[in-house]
Amino acid sequence: MTVVLLVVFWAAIWPYLVGAFVLGGVAAGGWWLWRTDRLIKRGDRGWRHDEAVRAGHRSLSLAEVDAMTGTEFEDFVVDLCRRDGCSDVRRVGGSHDNGADVRGRLPDGRSMVIQCKRYTPKNKIPSREVRDLLGAKMHFKADVAIFVATTYFSAPAERFASDNEIIAVHRDHLGLWNSGASLLSLSAVNGLGQGDRRHWERWKKTYG
């Protein structure tokens, strides 16, 4: 009698059991495909981000950099630093930044503090702003101070930076950095290369 009941019940319920197993398999397969798709997309986004950091947005022209907001320019500098192997790089700019927009460490381990100024090419960096960066270097007890600008430094500002071992990255050097030159290589030409006579003639014709 027991065997007969089992056969009868099995005959009645086996289609439902099979259906449940099939639905479960479909659901598990769908979940696996969804998770795989998410992981692939996440990996692709991460790869694209890493490539952008390594490239340092080198595809951007200086005209595009000029069109950035102040915050975007600071982020741009952060990406260039990371591309060059700097570590612990972060944007700290704000109303209470104590003269620093970006902080981090150079590839050789030295701590750095960076001031970023996105000015139009016809507005030069005055010496007082470079002096403020020197104060920030002392405040944060940083090993290296770097001033990155989309324009050029006034003669007093350039001299002050050179005398106080502040790396002054003017517009020409920013273009080189953006094109692949390393940040550390710019320190070797600090205070130099703000354009020769022909460069200044073109600059005056364009912006004068």
Side-chain angles (χ1 to χ4, degrees):
M1 184 64 179
T2 303
V3 174
V4 174
L5 289 175
L6 287 174
V7 170
V8 171
F9 278 113
W10 175 253
I13 66 174
W14 78 263
Y16 298 101
L17 292 175
V18 172
F21 279 119
V22 171
L23 289 175
V26 171
W31 177 85
W32 181 82
L33 290 173
W34 173 82
R35 180 172 176 77
T36 301
D37 180 69
R38 289 291 299 274
L39 290 174
I40 291 174
K41 288 182 177 179
R42 184 183 303 168
D44 182 67
R45 286 195 299 270
W47 175 82
R48 291 179 185 276
H49 177 267
D50 291 344
E51 283 298 305
V53 170
R54 280 193 290 270
H57 299 303
R58 282 177 284 178
S59 61
L60 293 180
S61 66
L62 286 181
E64 291 174 298
V65 174
D66 290 336
M68 292 179 176
T69 65
T71 299
E72 289 172 340
F73 181 57
E74 291 168 7
D75 288 334
F76 175 72
V77 170
V78 166
D79 283 349
L80 287 175
C81 291
R82 289 174 176 166
R83 182 204 71 188
D84 287 354
C86 298
S87 60
D88 195 26
V89 186
R90 59 201 183 280
R91 183 172 61 82
V92 296
S95 58
H96 302 291
D97 60 11
N98 291 305
D101 293 320
V102 175
R103 295 182 62 195
R105 289 191 175 277
L106 292 166
D108 58 15
R110 288 180 296 168
S111 60
M112 65 178 180
V113 59
I114 302 177
Q115 178 65 251
C116 306
K117 289 297 181 183
R118 190 198 54 77
Y119 285 172
T120 59
K122 63 181 180 181
N123 292 324
K124 292 186 178 181
I125 302 297
S127 59
R128 67 174 181 278
E129 296 194 359
V130 184
R131 293 177 187 276
D132 290 342
L133 178 57
L134 181 60
K137 177 185 177 183
M138 297 174 64
H139 174 79
F140 290 107
K141 296 180 175 60
D143 298 315
V144 180
I146 304 168
F147 201 118
V148 183
T150 56
T151 184
Y152 299 95
F153 294 81
S154 67
E158 190 176 21
R159 284 195 300 271
F160 184 86
S162 179
D163 292 343
N164 291 276
E165 299 183 340
I166 295 173
I167 300 176
V169 182
H170 54 69
R171 187 175 183 84
D172 294 344
H173 289 167
L174 177 62
L176 292 174
W177 192 18
N178 183 44
S179 297
S182 70
L183 176 58
L184 287 177
S185 71
L186 299 179
S187 63
V189 291
N190 190 34
L192 302 175
Q194 288 204 140
D196 56 18
R197 179 178 57 81
R198 287 176 299 175
H199 172 91
W200 280 110
E201 288 176 353
R202 291 195 301 270
W203 185 86
K204 290 179 181 178
K205 183 178 179 180
T206 303
Y207 301 106

